[in-house]
Amino acid sequence: MLGLENKITLYGFNNLTKTLSFNIYDVCYAKTKREQEDYIKYIDEQYNSERLTKILCDVTEKIGAHVLNISKQDYEPQGASVNVLITEEPIEENLIDESCNRTFWNKQKEKNEEILAHLDKSHLSVHTYPECHPDNSISTFRVDIDVSTCGKISPLTVLDYLIGSFDSDIITIDYRVRGFTRDIDGKKLFKDHDMTSIQDYICKDTLLTYDATDVNVYQYNMFHTKLLIKDISNLNNYVFNRDIYEIPPKERLAITENLRKEMIEIYSGVNIY
């Protein structure tokens, strides 16, 4: 994994905005309407706003930032959203906007004594989207996470943590550096770290379990990576609330085929079948 330490001497503040969009899909086979409803309920329980808040606060800590403000919501009939404002450096309490709830997550859920300020475009957000296919008994769970930072901190360092936090069959990741800063000679810098691929920031063992494709536009500092799980032969990981050994071999084969078709279409972004 590559380092992201900023060794460039800058004139003034680092004005670059680094945004990571992390999008995962978990695909499942739930045959009956009751099983589909139970799957949605299970997902809502497993990834409610409270757990998602912990994930985002862990991300904040791992990138070296601090929580200023948290808003979260569970939706009916399903889904959840969390938004976290973050900061790099603390400032005096009298400068804090009174509308901020000053929430800070720790294991005891106690309020942190340090008060921190929101820097423009420094935030994390997550949204969940469970849904069921109307015809072929395939259900999907999508998670969208956006991590946007300014200054020296970078969201690329948390990719392995994010991938490990979810059961991910398909992953799409976008990373973009926007704006510019200046070195001490006044020269504009449109990126403060070398980069060739998002894959360079993902554990090699993780990459071995996926097929990966890059689409990068280097001149605009835009990077895109897609990953598709290679092995879905263990149906225990995909069939919801059923014993796969009670399913006839022919039906198991059909389930595997439908799962793979769904994944390929999501990965490709095209209705192929």
Side-chain angles (χ1 to χ4, degrees):
M1 189 178 298
L2 302 181
L4 285 168
E5 294 183 1
N6 182 3
K7 298 180 181 179
I8 303 171
T9 303
L10 300 180
Y11 173 81
F13 180 69
N14 188 335
N15 293 309
L16 294 172
T17 300
K18 303 158 191 172
T19 300
L20 176 74
S21 294
F22 177 83
N23 181 232
I24 75 103
Y25 288 87
D26 176 56
V27 182
C28 176
Y29 179 82
K31 184 174 184 178
T32 67
K33 181 175 176 58
R34 175 62 182 272
E35 288 174 348
Q36 293 171 0
E37 291 173 351
D38 287 346
Y39 170 77
I40 296 296
K41 183 178 179 181
Y42 167 78
I43 288 297
D44 265 4
E45 290 173 352
Q46 287 293 306
Y47 297 102
N48 57 32
S49 63
E50 194 73 11
R51 182 179 179 188
L52 295 173
T53 297
K54 183 182 186 308
I55 290 173
L56 291 193
C57 288
D58 286 348
V59 167
T60 301
E61 181 179 352
K62 289 177 183 297
I63 65 175
H66 308 275
V67 171
L68 169 66
N69 193 80
I70 299 174
S71 59
K72 57 189 176 76
Q73 181 64 50
D74 291 297
Y75 299 110
E76 294 293 340
Q78 69 255 352
S81 296
V82 180
N83 189 68
V84 179
L85 303 183
I86 63 173
T87 179
E88 279 190 293
E89 303 292 341
I91 65 171
E92 296 179 5
E93 184 174 353
N94 65 323
L95 298 178
I96 300 293
D97 191 305
E98 294 181 358
S99 66
C100 290
N101 63 22
R102 302 175 183 180
T103 302
F104 190 92
W105 180 279
N106 59 24
K107 295 187 185 303
Q108 293 77 34
K109 298 183 181 178
E110 295 174 350
K111 184 177 178 182
N112 192 291
E113 294 179 356
E114 187 177 42
I115 305 300
L116 301 161
H118 171 224
L119 298 180
D120 185 30
K121 295 183 180 176
S122 292
H123 67 272
L124 296 82
S125 65
V126 58
H127 307 279
T128 65
Y129 306 90
E131 66 92 40
C132 295
H133 194 288
D135 301 319
N136 65 4
S137 302
I138 300 295
S139 297
T140 62
F141 169 55
R142 178 164 64 97
V143 178
D144 287 347
I145 295 180
D146 290 309
V147 184
S148 187
T149 66
C150 56
K152 293 183 290 184
I153 58 178
S154 172
L156 286 170
T157 56
V158 295
L159 272 178
D160 284 330
Y161 172 76
L162 287 174
I163 292 171
S165 296
F166 303 95
D167 294 324
S168 309
D169 296 310
I170 305 104
I171 306 171
T172 62
I173 309 167
D174 292 285
Y175 179 71
R176 184 179 181 187
V177 183
R178 293 173 293 162
F180 68 90
T181 190
R182 295 181 186 273
D183 64 16
I184 56 175
D185 296 321
K187 180 182 177 181
K188 296 184 184 69
L189 302 174
F190 296 93
K191 191 170 60 171
D192 62 359
H193 61 278
D194 293 330
M195 182 169 179
T196 57
S197 172
I198 292 172
Q199 294 186 52
D200 293 334
Y201 301 91
I202 301 174
C203 173
K204 287 182 170 55
D205 288 340
T206 299
L207 288 174
L208 288 174
T209 65
Y210 291 91
D211 289 318
T213 302
D214 279 357
V215 180
N216 301 319
V217 186
Y218 297 105
Q219 62 267 40
Y220 295 114
N221 294 323
M222 298 170 63
F223 304 86
H224 175 75
T225 296
K226 299 191 296 184
L227 300 102
L228 174 66
I229 196 77
K230 290 179 180 178
D231 184 9
I232 65 169
S233 60
N234 186 357
L235 282 184
N236 281 316
N237 295 332
Y238 294 97
V239 175
F240 184 73
N241 272 358
R242 296 183 69 189
D243 184 350
I244 64 167
Y245 297 106
E246 294 179 356
I247 303 173
K250 188 174 181 179
E251 184 179 349
R252 292 205 300 266
L253 184 62
I255 292 170
T256 302
E257 184 178 355
N258 284 337
L259 287 167
R260 179 51 77 182
K261 285 180 177 179
E262 189 80 357
M263 291 179 190
I264 289 173
E265 288 193 338
I266 295 171
Y267 179 74
S268 305
V270 178
N271 290 305
I272 298 172
Y273 300 98

